[in-house]
Amino acid sequence: MHLLAVHAERFSFAAETPANEASDPDAAVETPADVASDGTATMAADLGACVVVAAAVERGDVAAPAGTAAAAAAECRDVVDRLGESRVALVPTDHLTDSPAADAADAVGVLQSLTADLADDGEREVVRAPVGWHLAVELEKRGHPFAAQSLDVDPAALRPPTAGLSLRLPDGARLDPGDAGGRLPDAVAATVEAVANEASDSRRPRLPRDLLAETGLVVGDRTADERPHWLPRGAVVRDALVAHADDCFAALDAAPVETPSGVGPLATAPDAIDDLPWRRAERSRDAPAAVAVVESGDADAELRRQAAVVARAVAALGSAFLPVVRARGDRADALAADLAADLDAPVLAERLDDGGERTEVEFHPVGATWPGERPRVERDDASARRFDVALADGGRPAVVRCAPLGSLAGAVATAVERGESRDPPRLPAWLAPTQVRFVPVAAEHADRCDALAADCRAQDVRADVDARAVPVGERLERAERDRVPYYAVVGDREGGSEAVPVTDRAAREQRERTVDGLCETILAETADRPRPRRTVPGRVGER
């Protein structure tokens, strides 16, 4: 759960329009009748001094709703008490997160519990706005340094107690994670240790805004929320990842659908499914996801199939990943052994004391953090009951879902962060916003560079020109900072030649290349990766 606490001199709200497409109050997530009978929400309020808590319930929160609410309430009480207020306004705000709860009804349950927990000791008056409504809001924020505070509650810290950890290797060996150092690369062993200790820290990694701003992907100024504000170069990376997720869905035979925000593809299932497996995917600029409805006996095979697709998807980001299986009892170790053989990689198993029927495989990056929802596959049979999905014979199917890249903002951040450890720092060529940059020595060489860049773009290679009125050395430093894989300096000598001196940053070498030869190299390097149609501005100075 992500929270934004704002110390307000005055705050008022009114729920005016349902957020559903039909704008029908009786079809809203919380109808006026629901609100009237619930007792934890109201359609309108006008408060004086208070703390406004904007709250985003995330997918991972619904696995432990009571624990999430209790932990969030503790965070809120700490802030409210330090600010010396006794009134709290709780406002559902999905756009604070890249991965809102798939079922809005789950968000209602978590927020109801949070409201009750906050008011439980009688020391605070708590007012909650309803879920699923557009609100008219008036807020007068106080002007002190702590008037706006961003808070996170990490579901990883709320999981059931871990009964034991085991590490499975592709050759079938079963190791104690503490004894695996000699069998694993140092970075993988460090990740195993980090995962084992993760539950002791409820604070999740934050988006590395400074690093993303330095590489020209997001707006550098920090904003009240944690959502990235993409610049043109960042939008190219994001769109490449959206297309990459589309390829994953095609590999899973999952047909695309569109649903209202926070609903998810399972909501489009028919009342009775008579043709299994039933697969759907939802293309999203936050966290693309796919779902499969299968016979219960086929669930493990489907989970392994989806995990293999996710493993291929995350490998393309340029980082190794450690799959972590979490399940009840001995099932965790058995599934980890199967996946280690399937993926030809070590897999960590967390055996839970009380994991219910939920089983998940989460992919942790090696040598990097991951802000936001990580790539994952999970079996969630409770969703079939929640959405009233049934088979033609009346029985309940199994539901297996995956988010092949997790949150896209997290995927971009991890790819950039992992690229920083390379020499030289770089992104995979298919993700690089600019794949080729041309640098004219003087103004009279700019037209030649524009023509070369246009030739590249005609062959689906992203190219631009840095003709800014600054020294060539400074422009080359910019190319390095922008993580451009290939760049060429064009002057008098290159004016009448088809070939130009191209620097390959990864190989740390320069050689004469024609545009056709350079494009052929890049297209071969990115042959199995998507090429989004979006491009960067033709001139660096235009962004």
Side-chain angles (χ1 to χ4, degrees):
M1 179 182 283
H2 187 69
L3 308 171
L4 177 65
V6 178
H7 196 185
E9 184 69 34
R10 177 179 172 273
F11 177 69
S12 65
F13 70 85
E16 294 192 338
T17 308
N20 62 299
E21 293 181 3
S23 295
D24 179 3
D26 291 331
V29 176
E30 283 188 286
T31 68
D34 293 334
V35 170
S37 63
D38 171 61
T40 68
T42 182
M43 300 296 288
D46 189 353
L47 306 175
C50 65
V51 177
V52 180
V53 178
V57 179
E58 300 176 293
R59 284 186 180 89
D61 299 336
V62 301
T68 299
E75 294 274 10
C76 292
R77 279 194 294 269
D78 183 57
V79 171
V80 172
D81 293 348
R82 279 191 280 111
L83 293 176
E85 296 294 349
S86 59
R87 275 186 277 194
V88 181
L90 193 62
V91 181
T93 315
D94 273 356
H95 72 261
L96 287 180
T97 177
D98 290 327
S99 55
D103 181 1
D106 288 335
V108 173
V110 174
L111 292 174
Q112 286 175 332
S113 296
L114 173 55
T115 304
D117 287 353
L118 274 173
D120 186 54
D121 58 9
E123 296 183 5
R124 281 162 292 276
E125 175 189 351
V126 183
V127 174
R128 178 174 73 81
V131 174
W133 289 77
H134 296 300
L135 305 180
V137 170
E138 290 186 11
L139 187 151
E140 184 179 343
K141 175 176 166 288
R142 294 198 172 181
H144 59 80
F146 304 104
Q149 302 179 46
S150 182
L151 309 168
D152 275 317
V153 177
D154 190 347
L158 306 171
R159 293 191 183 100
T162 298
L165 294 171
S166 59
L167 189 71
R168 283 290 192 169
L169 302 183
D171 62 6
R174 183 180 187 277
L175 306 176
D176 184 290
D179 300 330
R183 299 286 302 273
L184 300 175
D186 290 344
V188 177
T191 303
V192 170
E193 182 179 1
V195 173
N197 295 328
E198 185 181 59
S200 64
D201 183 5
S202 65
R203 299 286 183 169
R204 69 182 60 185
R206 310 296 288 175
L207 197 70
R209 287 183 176 273
D210 292 342
L211 176 59
L212 295 179
E214 178 187 336
T215 51
L217 303 183
V218 304
V219 176
D221 294 337
R222 294 180 179 272
T223 57
D225 62 55
E226 278 297 303
R227 292 174 66 89
H229 298 276
W230 302 104
L231 292 170
R233 290 169 48 77
V236 169
V237 182
R238 180 201 61 198
D239 287 359
L241 290 172
V242 170
H244 189 43
D246 286 345
D247 290 344
C248 295
F249 300 149
L252 291 170
D253 300 319
V257 296
E258 291 186 6
T259 66
S261 175
V263 174
L266 198 61
T268 67
D271 292 338
I273 301 176
D274 57 5
D275 186 14
L276 295 180
W278 182 91
R279 309 177 195 274
R280 296 293 184 271
E282 187 158 37
R283 197 173 194 258
S284 163
R285 291 183 182 273
D286 291 329
V291 64
V293 177
V294 298
E295 293 278 7
S296 183
D298 297 332
D300 280 0
E302 177 65 25
L303 190 146
R304 291 169 62 180
R305 179 176 184 240
Q306 291 190 15
V309 170
V310 174
R312 292 194 296 271
V314 297
L317 299 181
S319 175
F321 281 76
L322 174 70
V324 180
V325 175
R326 298 185 178 94
R328 188 175 184 177
D330 293 337
R331 175 171 167 72
D333 183 67
L335 181 56
D338 289 339
L339 287 175
D342 292 346
L343 306 178
D344 193 26
V347 176
L348 185 66
E350 287 191 16
R351 183 166 60 88
L352 305 177
D353 278 333
D354 184 19
E357 297 305 316
R358 193 182 187 98
T359 300
E360 72 173 18
V361 184
E362 189 174 58
F363 290 75
H364 289 244
V366 173
T369 56
W370 188 287
E373 181 184 352
R374 296 186 186 101
R376 70 173 60 241
V377 180
E378 59 186 6
R379 177 175 176 175
D380 182 15
D381 292 352
S383 292
R385 295 188 294 272
R386 191 162 61 243
F387 285 95
D388 197 25
V389 177
L391 301 178
D393 63 6
R396 291 291 185 192
V399 174
V400 182
R401 68 177 79 245
C402 74
L405 296 171
S407 67
L408 294 185
V412 174
T414 298
V416 173
E417 183 185 10
R418 186 67 184 87
E420 291 301 288
S421 65
R422 298 179 175 183
D423 185 20
R426 61 190 186 276
L427 285 168
W430 72 280
L431 278 179
T434 300
Q435 294 168 324
V436 182
R437 176 165 296 166
F438 296 98
V439 179
V441 173
E444 59 266 27
H445 307 122
D447 288 345
R448 167 69 168 152
C449 288
D450 286 336
L452 293 169
D455 288 344
C456 289
R457 290 194 289 269
Q459 299 184 54
D460 282 340
V461 170
R462 296 189 290 272
D464 63 16
V465 176
D466 189 349
R468 293 174 301 144
V470 297
V472 169
E474 185 173 331
R475 284 180 278 159
L476 295 182
E477 289 177 2
R478 173 66 177 269
E480 293 282 338
R481 194 165 65 249
D482 285 351
R483 310 298 185 252
V484 179
Y486 300 92
Y487 57 79
V489 177
V490 178
D492 289 336
R493 185 172 65 86
E494 294 79 23
S497 171
E498 288 190 8
V500 293
V502 176
T503 296
D504 179 342
R505 291 184 61 244
R508 292 187 177 275
E509 65 177 22
Q510 182 186 97
R511 64 189 181 96
E512 297 289 323
R513 305 288 297 273
T514 65
V515 165
D516 288 345
L518 176 58
C519 290
E520 184 179 340
T521 297
I522 294 172
L523 294 176
E525 189 176 346
T526 61
D528 57 346
R529 302 289 176 237
R531 300 189 189 109
R533 303 302 299 177
R534 183 190 294 267
T535 186
V536 293
R539 291 284 188 98
V540 171
E542 295 173 356
R543 53 195 66 157

